[in-house]
Amino acid sequence: MVERVPVLIVGGGPVGLALAGDLGWRGVQSLLVEARSGRVSQPKMDMVGIRTMEFCRRWGITADVEAAGYNRGYIQDCAWVTTLTGYEFGREKFAPPQDEKTPPQSPQHRERCPQNFFDPVLTKFAASTGKSEVRYFTELASFVDHGDYVTATLRNKEDGTEYQVEADFLVGSDGGQSKVREILDVDMSGEGALTYTSNAIFRCDGLEELHTTAPAYRYIFIGPEGTWATLVAINGRDQWRFSLIGDDTQHEVTTEEMRAAILRAVGRDFDFEILTMLPWVRRQLVADKYRQGRVFLAGDAAHLTSPTGGFGMNTGVLDAVNLSWKLAASLEGWGGETLLDSYEFEQRPVAIRNVTEAGDNLKRMLGPRVAQPRAEVFHDGSPESDAARREYGDAYTEAMKREWFSIGIHLGYVYEGSPVVSPDGTALPPLTVSSYAPNARPGSRAPHVWLDADRSTLDEFGRDFVLVRFDPRLDAEALVAAAQECRVPLRVVDVDNAEAHELYGAKLVLVRPDGQVVWRGDEPAGNASTLIRRVTGTLAAAPVG
């Protein structure tokens, strides 16, 4: 008999695992297939952004992320240097993760948790739901979309056997070389090769004791030719990721070349062990379509970005959370086709913005290749050289701040014009990068406010629609009745908090399961049934009173 599942997920990186976990958390069964073993030897990400940590809070796994394995006491400074035994141009100072304070806009802060630590946390979370099965060494051979379900042919890579699985929906989160995207014949737009880069993970105990530069999480190396490499503390102990940044010309870096480059960067001979090497291409691409019938794209299958800024995986997890509740709504019978269509409408502009910002960050990081440092910055011991280094370092430090401070990217995204959001007529605030002013304008993330010592407004959102009511005298019965008629899960939460009321900007605010505001007003909606049908995608876009 052909196996049947509600959702088949192809690709077991952090985005696919987050989708499987969130679906299971909502009570939806899924099957995730991953062609590889699941073991990560070359972590492609190391920063879990603030919005992703808010989702982890929702799922109850923040303690698992913090305990995953990264040394949370390790300093998080970013420094730009000639070599680790040479000169430091400047640095941006950041506290260790264990000491970082949460900003006023969120109950969480970002966390350092490289993929080799983060993936097992998400795998454990997905398994804990009892609804998510993960099969490794299993690849997608083909699929057919029949219109009301999908038949996928899967291949066991260990013995070569093939079998079929039927699913209501298929999601391709299978990376930059996505087989799902290939079968759909979906193109990607943007820049295909920004740089050819080679990574090496190497082990060295006590590297900090071998050089004269103060410890940092990330070092950027600038030579006479400009920016040429970076070094990142991959576990905050004895493992480091060294990236030799090429240009748009493909070149295979040998182990000997990599060893020589690492020695150049440190500035002295020392013993170290290269654990793995990985050549990769830095791209700036977004898929032209995120949905085709019952098949969806998410994560790197939908968008490829330079890692400068740490937006890639975090944008993908946002994909997963946006898509998850919509798939659940469709499977439960209360979500319409417009709701499924809204996934692309909402997430694709977010990806375009984030991918573009990351590309601009890369240009700033590689700026020294264009405006190369004056020769005297590399000379020893003269007042002129010291002054030149200070001048150059100050300018580079200022240029790089936009990458280090990007809360507006992580929290300030807006689903402007979404067909399942009811606008209130207010103007779109400026989209900022280094700052973020929370607001509850429809389409925006519902703001965080502490309601007591450890309870945030965000803790009310997740599984259901929530009507936040700041005036208990206002009648919510019509909206509740309309939701019940349409089988839409909705709760009314009364909040007696002046700060939250001011920030949310209305006496009634409707928040959907992913935590985005979809409607607000000082009086009950004029047509509650129309509003419910609008925000669940069973009604074409229309004004709501």
Side-chain angles (χ1 to χ4, degrees):
M1 294 180 62
V2 176
E3 185 177 0
R4 182 70 183 245
V5 294
V7 182
L8 174 62
I9 303 168
V10 181
V15 175
L17 290 168
L19 177 58
D22 195 67
L23 284 169
W25 184 76
R26 298 181 188 283
V28 176
Q29 184 183 0
S30 68
L31 169 63
L32 185 153
V33 296
E34 166 56 49
R36 293 165 292 187
S37 67
R39 180 179 176 271
V40 178
S41 59
Q42 276 274 355
K44 296 179 180 179
M45 51 72 56
D46 54 46
M47 194 269 284
V48 182
I50 189 169
R51 184 56 170 156
T52 303
M53 284 304 298
E54 290 178 352
F55 297 141
C56 290
R57 178 188 179 92
R58 176 187 299 177
W59 298 329
I61 62 172
T62 55
D64 292 335
V65 175
E66 293 168 357
Y70 190 86
N71 178 8
R72 300 184 71 246
Y74 197 81
I75 198 75
Q76 293 295 289
D77 290 5
C78 297
W80 14 106
V81 300
T82 55
T83 69
L84 296 186
T85 53
Y87 296 106
E88 180 176 304
F89 291 111
R91 71 172 51 215
E92 199 70 55
K93 294 184 177 181
F94 294 101
Q98 67 183 18
D99 299 328
E100 186 167 340
K101 305 300 182 184
T102 58
Q105 301 98 325
S106 176
Q108 298 295 143
H109 59 73
R110 65 178 185 173
E111 190 66 43
R112 192 67 63 190
C113 189
Q115 187 181 357
N116 54 315
F117 297 135
F118 193 47
D119 279 13
V121 170
L122 293 176
T123 302
K124 177 183 174 183
F125 164 56
S128 73
T129 68
K131 297 287 186 178
S132 304
E133 180 185 354
V134 179
R135 294 180 193 169
Y136 294 106
F137 299 110
T138 303
E139 65 182 356
L140 175 73
S142 63
F143 66 82
V144 176
D145 186 346
H146 302 283
D148 54 352
Y149 70 97
V150 178
T151 300
T153 300
L154 305 179
R155 181 182 298 118
N156 184 318
K157 293 189 67 177
E158 294 181 297
D159 61 18
T161 59
E162 293 188 352
Y163 58 96
Q164 290 188 329
V165 172
E166 292 179 355
D168 292 281
F169 298 104
L170 186 151
V171 180
S173 56
D174 49 340
Q177 303 300 316
S178 171
K179 179 73 171 180
V180 176
R181 191 182 67 238
E182 176 189 330
I183 294 172
L184 290 177
D185 195 26
V186 171
D187 292 330
M188 302 189 86
S189 298
E191 297 186 50
L194 301 175
T195 70
Y196 287 89
T197 298
S198 292
N199 285 0
I201 304 293
F202 72 89
R203 179 187 291 127
C204 176
D205 289 321
L207 178 64
E208 297 88 350
E209 300 171 4
L210 301 178
H211 62 77
T212 56
T213 305
Y217 146 75
R218 182 182 183 187
Y219 299 98
I220 297 174
F221 297 97
I222 300 174
E225 74 272 48
T227 310
W228 64 278
T230 64
L231 182 66
V232 169
I234 205 63
N235 67 356
R237 294 181 178 86
D238 63 345
Q239 291 187 28
W240 301 81
R241 182 178 66 222
F242 182 79
S243 298
L244 188 57
I245 308 170
D247 53 22
D248 58 0
T249 304
Q250 189 168 5
H251 169 67
E252 184 175 349
V253 176
T254 66
T255 302
E256 290 73 21
E257 287 177 301
M258 184 63 75
R259 291 190 67 88
I262 292 172
L263 292 175
R264 176 192 172 188
V266 176
R268 58 167 290 178
D269 192 17
F270 70 104
D271 292 328
F272 61 95
E273 177 188 7
I274 293 181
L275 302 177
T276 62
M277 287 179 54
L278 176 71
W280 59 283
V281 186
R282 196 183 310 253
R283 304 184 190 277
Q284 185 172 318
L285 296 168
V286 177
D288 293 343
K289 291 193 296 183
Y290 276 31
R291 179 195 182 192
Q292 190 163 297
R294 289 186 167 262
V295 184
F296 299 81
L297 300 175
D300 284 358
H303 42 79
L304 291 166
T305 182
S306 170
T308 38
F311 306 142
M313 185 279 296
N314 294 290
T315 305
V317 171
L318 191 65
D319 292 341
V321 174
N322 183 296
L323 180 59
S324 175
W325 77 273
K326 295 174 180 178
L327 295 178
S330 180
L331 290 165
E332 292 166 7
W334 53 268
E337 280 295 309
T338 302
L339 187 66
L340 296 176
D341 285 339
S342 72
Y343 166 64
E344 175 183 318
F345 190 98
E346 293 176 349
Q347 286 302 115
R348 191 169 181 272
V350 173
I352 292 172
R353 182 190 182 206
N354 293 2
V355 164
T356 302
E357 183 66 25
D360 290 345
N361 285 339
L362 175 66
K363 292 175 183 177
R364 285 183 280 271
M365 186 182 82
L366 298 183
R369 292 186 177 185
V370 178
Q372 293 179 341
R374 301 200 308 270
E376 55 263 37
V377 306
F378 302 104
H379 294 166
D380 291 338
S382 71
E384 292 79 13
S385 294
D386 291 341
R389 277 190 288 274
R390 285 194 300 272
E391 179 183 356
Y392 189 82
D394 289 347
Y396 191 77
T397 300
E398 186 61 31
M400 292 297 291
K401 284 185 181 296
R402 186 172 170 120
E403 177 175 345
W404 313 136
F405 300 97
S406 57
I407 191 171
I409 292 288
H410 291 276
L411 298 184
Y413 60 93
V414 181
Y415 296 144
E416 187 69 8
S418 170
V420 293
V421 171
S422 180
D424 65 355
T426 58
L428 176 68
L431 295 178
T432 56
V433 173
S434 299
S435 62
Y436 165 64
N439 70 88
R441 181 178 176 272
S444 303
R445 161 190 168 273
H448 152 74
V449 174
W450 288 116
L451 300 178
D452 57 36
D454 58 359
R455 177 172 164 252
S456 165
T457 50
L458 270 58
D459 297 332
E460 296 292 342
F461 312 134
R463 286 189 172 91
D464 308 323
F465 276 84
V466 174
L467 180 66
V468 182
R469 182 169 60 179
F470 292 99
D471 184 349
R473 296 169 299 180
L474 291 176
D475 186 3
E477 289 184 7
L479 193 65
V480 171
Q484 289 176 342
E485 182 181 358
C486 297
R487 295 182 295 155
V488 176
L490 183 144
R491 294 183 297 115
V492 178
V493 174
D494 288 312
V495 174
D496 182 11
N497 183 293
E499 179 187 357
H501 186 189
E502 180 178 0
L503 199 54
Y504 276 62
K507 296 176 181 178
L508 296 169
V509 180
L510 184 61
V511 181
R512 70 191 199 185
D514 60 351
Q516 301 297 119
V517 175
V518 290
W519 173 86
R520 66 177 177 176
D522 286 328
E523 298 292 338
N527 189 323
S529 178
T530 300
L531 174 58
I532 290 296
R533 291 164 58 204
R534 168 75 175 273
V535 299
T536 58
T538 57
L539 177 75
V544 177

